[in-house]
Amino acid sequence: MDNKTLISTEYSDCNCGKTASFYYKRKKKGNNFNIYKGRMYSCCKDIQTAVVKVTANGKGSKEDLPDYIIASQAAHDLANKFSKLCSIFVHFPEIHIAEMDTVAIFDTFIPGDCRKLSGDEFVLFEPYVKDLQNFVTREGIVTKVCPAVIQELCHFSFHQSNGDNILRGLKGSWEKNGKSFRLASPATKYFPEKCSADEIPCAITNFFSVHTCTSRCNKWLVPSQVHSSRSEHQFDNSFSDPPPPYESIDFATR
């Protein structure tokens, strides 16, 4: 009944590889990934509910997916750095790449436009985030339910990149303790060379058109400073060293 993977070959924010299993019926169809709900298994943790992402357009290869691992680790490093500035902890989950081991027999009979799995393709999986809400779209639009601390995180990413990029496409939920946020893993277009010429500038404009700086972020770099000559402006560099390898930020939906 279940699809199963081998142990993960690449992963972020994790000390060991994991395997995943997932039901043959998908939960959601996306532009880039079909989403399945399953379980993660590890030698060092209890079984966790997981989200498994299978490429929607053609068989997933090991070469297609490492950008997601790089993006997740960069987001994790950035969030850790940001969390040191405030009392609320923001966390991106680990994400894994693994090759399929077993394809459920029922998968071969799936009707409709859902792509059938192959035994030698690679998939992504990560811990499941319950009660997921959309905070900032991939276009940089801030939703009505977006908390101030998530806006601060986006502003922090803009400051850290010296105005070249901004964190976006953020979905997540409060933890039960009410003192931390768990966000879904970042997705595509982390790198400027993979974005259209106006994609990042438009996202920055959209975000700052509604963002009101707080006492925490009012000294960080803002777009008006970037539009002028950088050499002519001095701003607070207290947190300006970029996290590795923070070349760009886009946490769009897979």
Side-chain angles (χ1 to χ4, degrees):
M1 292 290 289
D2 283 357
N3 299 290
K4 297 179 180 179
T5 74
L6 298 171
I7 192 166
S8 53
T9 57
E10 296 184 51
Y11 38 85
S12 69
D13 188 30
C14 184
N15 295 322
C16 67
K18 291 180 171 66
T19 61
S21 66
F22 56 102
Y23 195 51
Y24 69 93
K25 287 186 178 180
R26 74 182 178 199
K27 300 292 289 185
K28 182 180 179 181
K29 183 182 187 303
N31 292 330
N32 298 318
F33 287 96
N34 291 322
I35 308 300
Y36 297 78
K37 192 172 180 180
R39 296 173 295 277
M40 288 174 53
Y41 302 88
S42 169
C43 61
C44 60
K45 287 186 179 180
D46 294 334
I47 297 172
Q48 296 175 270
T49 305
V51 171
V52 181
K53 302 166 185 176
V54 178
T55 51
N57 306 304
K59 184 171 68 175
S61 71
K62 190 176 181 180
E63 292 73 29
D64 294 333
L65 303 177
D67 281 358
Y68 295 89
I69 303 297
I70 296 171
S72 184
Q73 189 62 56
H76 171 76
D77 295 341
L78 180 71
N80 277 352
K81 202 168 192 177
F82 171 78
S83 294
K84 293 177 180 178
L85 307 178
C86 60
S87 58
I88 297 177
F89 182 69
V90 180
H91 177 69
F92 287 96
E94 63 192 85
I95 184 170
H96 294 255
I97 297 175
E99 187 176 8
M100 291 297 299
D101 183 22
T102 303
V103 176
I105 188 170
F106 287 100
D107 188 75
T108 60
F109 302 109
I110 294 176
D113 60 352
C114 186
R115 185 179 70 78
K116 296 174 177 58
L117 292 172
S118 170
D120 61 347
E121 70 176 288
F122 286 78
V123 300
L124 293 168
F125 61 88
E126 64 186 72
Y128 172 74
V129 179
K130 188 177 181 180
D131 300 325
L132 200 69
Q133 291 183 295
N134 192 4
F135 295 142
V136 181
T137 71
R138 72 182 71 184
E139 296 81 19
I141 297 171
V142 179
T143 69
K144 293 181 179 180
V145 299
C146 182
V149 67
I150 300 301
Q151 291 191 45
E152 289 172 348
L153 174 62
C154 293
H155 191 167
F156 182 69
S157 72
F158 179 79
H159 181 78
Q160 286 284 282
S161 68
N162 289 327
D164 291 333
N165 218 323
I166 192 165
L167 183 61
R168 48 201 164 112
L170 295 183
K171 297 181 179 181
S173 65
W174 280 103
E175 294 280 36
K176 291 181 180 179
N177 60 19
K179 296 181 180 179
S180 59
F181 275 99
R182 181 170 294 277
L183 301 175
S185 70
T188 59
K189 297 180 181 176
Y190 234 103
F191 312 100
E193 61 269 22
K194 297 184 179 182
C195 298
S196 61
D198 62 347
E199 187 171 351
I200 294 173
C202 284
I204 291 172
T205 298
N206 287 337
F207 176 80
F208 280 100
S209 67
V210 298
H211 172 63
T212 300
C213 287
T214 66
S215 59
R216 182 175 290 119
C217 65
N218 61 9
K219 293 183 180 179
W220 295 342
L221 183 68
V222 294
S224 61
Q225 293 172 293
V226 178
H227 295 158
S228 302
S229 172
R230 292 174 185 265
S231 61
E232 295 176 1
H233 287 271
Q234 298 296 322
F235 54 90
D236 183 5
N237 283 306
S238 301
F239 312 106
S240 62
D241 53 317
Y246 189 65
E247 298 299 329
S248 70
I249 286 288
D250 182 349
F251 302 117
T253 304
R254 275 65 62 190

